[in-house]
Amino acid sequence: MEGDILNIGAGIAIGVGAIGPAIGIGMLGAKAMEAIGRNPEAAGQIQTNMILAIAFAEAIAIYALVVAILIKFV
Amino acid sequence: MSKIYSTISKIILNPIFLGVLFVVSILGGGLGTALDLGFLSAPFAYISIPAETLYYFKGKGFLYEFLNKALTNTLLMSLLSILILTLISRRATKNMKVVPSGLQNLIEFALEAMYNTCKKIAGDDKGKVFFPLVMTIFLFVVISNWIGVLPGTGTIGRIETAEEYCHHQEEKNNLGHDVKFNIYKTNGVLASTMFGYGKTDYSIKSSDKSLFSDSYSKSDSVQSKDSHSKSDSGHGHDSHSGSIVCSHHWLEHDFVHAKEIKAKELGVANFDDNFKVGILVPFFRGTNSDMNTTLALALIAMVCIHWWGFKYLGLTGHAGKFINFKNGPINFFVGILELVGEFAKILSFTFRLFGNIFAGEVLLFAMAFLLPLIGIIPFIGLELFVGLIQGLIFSMLTLVFASISTVEHNSDDH
């Protein structure tokens, strides 16, 4: 019984925690594509900055993942 | 010869063949166990966050001190990736030519691309200084991620029998976990998830007392704690699993007994010594799925970043960003926040890499469990990509943080 609730909690932790970063990464990607479309010569620089920003957004999802792992296994 | 190849590729790419393969792998895998099939399924690998120990050093030699008493599988893997990097660079620089070709060309291309990025982001002078660390982190992370998805990592190893497992957990004072032991076939040294009995009803949970109830009540080595749990065995056996699992007398009898029960269920006369109850300890496991490795990388990166900060801005210049008395109380608190942010950087460096690689490993395990034959193939491609991207992100963030840390922070500008 306790284990079941822990499993559900881990699922909710990563599921809800991934919503924000997903929206953020989508917006970043969309804006970067738009920027490349407007200024194709700056594609390299935009890509580098986009990957960096995505890494920051993704870090939030990773925190959620760590919490989920902690709930599940520790 | 080429005709044979074309026939083979025709067979493999045949949609009917692929469809049959797909159906067989669905029915044979973890999903098929619901339909009493699951003929291909392996046990779901035991997922442990700390790296598994391959060998405990005894005595007090150099290795004992240096490797912290134990050789873990992730440490072995990181040594392997260092070896691979050394060999590649030896090969590439053996016969250096002015006009590069082959391996030298590839390495020069990679180094040059990163060198130009460094110079572009940090400026010509600082880029030269930052480049060695950034490139080292990139190469190490990428190579160790890539060898971590090779087939065989995480699936081939030795069996740590239930007794050994409980003994080690007892030494670490880490009991009370609910671990699912499986029955594996082994030739003494090697074992693989492929030769485990994978259907869910062939595995034994360490807190699953119903299996052991027979000899459990017979055993007279049971201590007072156990008699207590016997009295209220009707409700909640999880709370007692710790005290029960660590009782060695209990284990020696009862895992033999459990094996007999399972042998009966499987219709085998009896399991001989080649069958062991335990968990699989893989010989190899991706280096970055161990938090110690990623924490070490993060600490190296952050120490270097601040070293460069002090080097370029001086003691007061760099420390003044964090402990700032000059511009009133608001800037003082901003400085404190930035100091906290530096520690958050270490954490996010650590958990980003660890989380990605560890999650990737669990994903591969899950796919190998659900779709045994083909499910893993697209995800290996995904993991190779993730490994490259994570290496890029780690090194790029190091570069950007280093260039931010070496720039004078001027609050009047904005």
Side-chain angles (χ1 to χ4, degrees):
Chain A
M1 186 59 197
E2 197 193 352
D4 296 343
I5 292 175
L6 285 182
N7 281 348
I8 293 171
I12 290 175
I14 183 64
V16 176
I19 294 174
I23 295 172
I25 290 172
M27 280 165 72
L28 274 164
K31 287 285 174 191
M33 297 299 142
E34 216 177 281
I36 292 173
R38 279 168 199 255
N39 188 2
E41 280 149 28
Q45 218 169 353
I46 291 168
Q47 252 166 14
T48 318
N49 289 329
M50 181 189 75
I51 288 174
L52 279 180
I54 284 178
F56 286 122
E58 196 201 42
I60 315 291
I62 297 295
Y63 299 149
L65 178 76
V66 169
V67 170
I69 288 173
L70 287 179
I71 293 173
K72 184 83 171 64
F73 295 113
V74 177
Chain B
M1 201 61 188
S2 61
K3 207 174 180 186
I4 298 171
Y5 276 130
S6 67
T7 4
I8 289 173
S9 62
K10 251 181 212 165
I11 291 172
I12 288 175
L13 293 177
N14 191 338
I16 298 168
F17 177 77
L18 281 179
V20 168
L21 201 62
F22 193 65
V23 170
V24 164
S25 64
I26 283 182
L27 290 181
L31 295 173
T33 42
L35 307 169
D36 257 352
L37 288 163
F39 41 88
L40 284 170
S41 73
F44 195 83
Y46 169 60
I47 295 164
S48 122
I49 294 179
E52 292 97 337
T53 304
L54 290 175
Y55 185 74
Y56 290 91
F57 290 107
K58 295 178 185 72
K60 287 239 182 291
F62 168 72
L63 281 171
Y64 181 85
E65 300 292 332
F66 180 66
L67 296 176
N68 198 14
K69 300 167 198 169
L71 178 72
T72 57
N73 46 10
T74 51
L75 179 64
L76 190 67
M77 204 67 165
S78 65
L79 294 176
L80 196 67
S81 57
I82 290 169
L83 186 73
I84 288 174
L85 275 173
T86 315
L87 289 181
I88 288 177
S89 43
R90 282 282 298 171
R91 268 299 295 280
T93 54
K94 214 172 173 185
N95 299 317
M96 285 214 284
K97 291 177 214 136
V98 183
V99 182
S101 62
L103 191 61
Q104 191 196 344
N105 199 3
L106 182 73
I107 300 295
E108 276 193 12
F109 166 72
L111 290 177
E112 237 175 69
M114 187 59 95
Y115 189 53
N116 289 334
T117 318
C118 280
K119 285 213 278 193
K120 206 164 68 188
I121 290 178
D124 278 5
D125 297 338
K126 287 182 202 161
K128 262 183 211 165
V129 179
F130 299 159
F131 171 69
L133 178 76
V134 171
M135 193 68 201
T136 307
I137 286 177
F138 175 73
L139 284 178
F140 177 74
V141 172
V142 168
I143 292 293
S144 56
N145 285 348
W146 279 356
I147 61 174
V149 287
L150 286 178
T153 47
T155 51
I156 296 174
R158 69 179 173 84
I159 300 300
E160 188 171 62
T161 55
E163 293 100 314
E164 285 169 1
Y165 177 81
C166 293
H167 182 64
H168 293 319
Q169 294 299 307
E170 198 180 29
E171 274 183 347
K172 289 183 208 158
N173 221 345
N174 189 21
L175 283 162
H177 281 284
D178 197 11
V179 177
K180 229 166 83 177
F181 299 115
N182 287 299
I183 298 176
Y184 289 96
K185 193 181 177 189
T186 163
N187 66 355
V189 185
L190 282 172
S192 163
T193 45
M194 278 179 72
F195 302 111
Y197 287 89
K199 284 190 182 177
T200 40
D201 50 331
Y202 293 164
S203 58
I204 303 161
K205 276 190 170 185
S206 68
S207 66
D208 191 359
K209 274 200 284 181
S210 62
L211 263 173
F212 311 119
S213 55
D214 254 8
S215 48
Y216 177 62
S217 51
K218 261 185 261 164
S219 169
D220 39 25
S221 64
V222 180
Q223 301 298 314
S224 59
K225 261 190 181 174
D226 297 319
S227 62
H228 161 68
S229 67
K230 216 190 293 177
S231 61
D232 58 6
S233 56
H235 31 173
H237 52 250
D238 283 332
S239 54
H240 304 296
S241 60
S243 63
I244 291 162
V245 169
C246 67
S247 159
H248 286 277
H249 301 286
W250 185 80
L251 277 165
E252 276 161 38
H253 293 298
D254 297 312
F255 280 106
V256 174
H257 181 69
K259 269 205 271 188
E260 281 166 13
I261 292 176
K262 286 300 168 192
K264 247 181 242 168
E265 277 181 20
L266 284 165
V268 192
N270 203 351
F271 280 137
D272 50 11
D273 285 345
N274 286 341
F275 290 91
K276 283 186 179 169
V277 180
I279 52 175
L280 185 86
V281 176
F283 291 137
F284 302 108
R285 176 175 159 184
T287 312
N288 295 320
S289 64
D290 185 354
M291 226 182 286
N292 295 313
T293 318
T294 56
L295 180 63
L297 282 174
L299 284 176
I300 290 169
M302 289 310 290
V303 166
C304 285
I305 285 165
H306 285 285
W307 167 253
W308 284 323
F310 284 121
K311 193 179 155 199
Y312 280 97
L313 301 178
L315 189 64
T316 48
H318 189 59
K321 288 187 211 165
F322 305 112
I323 305 162
N324 185 358
F325 292 114
K326 275 181 203 157
N327 303 322
I330 293 176
N331 277 310
F332 177 74
F333 283 111
V334 170
I336 297 291
L337 275 183
E338 282 196 25
L339 193 61
V340 174
E342 294 304 306
F343 289 100
K345 275 178 194 170
I346 298 179
L347 271 187
S348 68
F349 262 139
T350 309
F351 282 113
R352 182 181 302 116
L353 187 54
F354 164 74
N356 271 286
I357 302 307
F358 184 76
E361 251 176 29
V362 176
L363 179 71
L364 289 185
F365 279 145
M367 289 322 292
F369 175 72
L370 289 175
L371 292 173
L373 292 176
I374 54 172
I376 205 169
I377 297 169
F379 291 98
I380 283 181
L382 179 77
E383 284 313 305
L384 290 176
F385 178 69
V386 166
L388 179 69
I389 289 292
Q390 287 308 315
L392 198 65
I393 284 173
F394 205 114
S395 52
M396 279 293 125
L397 283 179
T398 309
L399 178 59
V400 170
F401 288 155
S403 52
I404 288 172
S405 130
T406 51
V407 170
E408 198 88 45
H409 183 67
N410 228 336
S411 53
D412 303 333
D413 284 356
H414 43 132

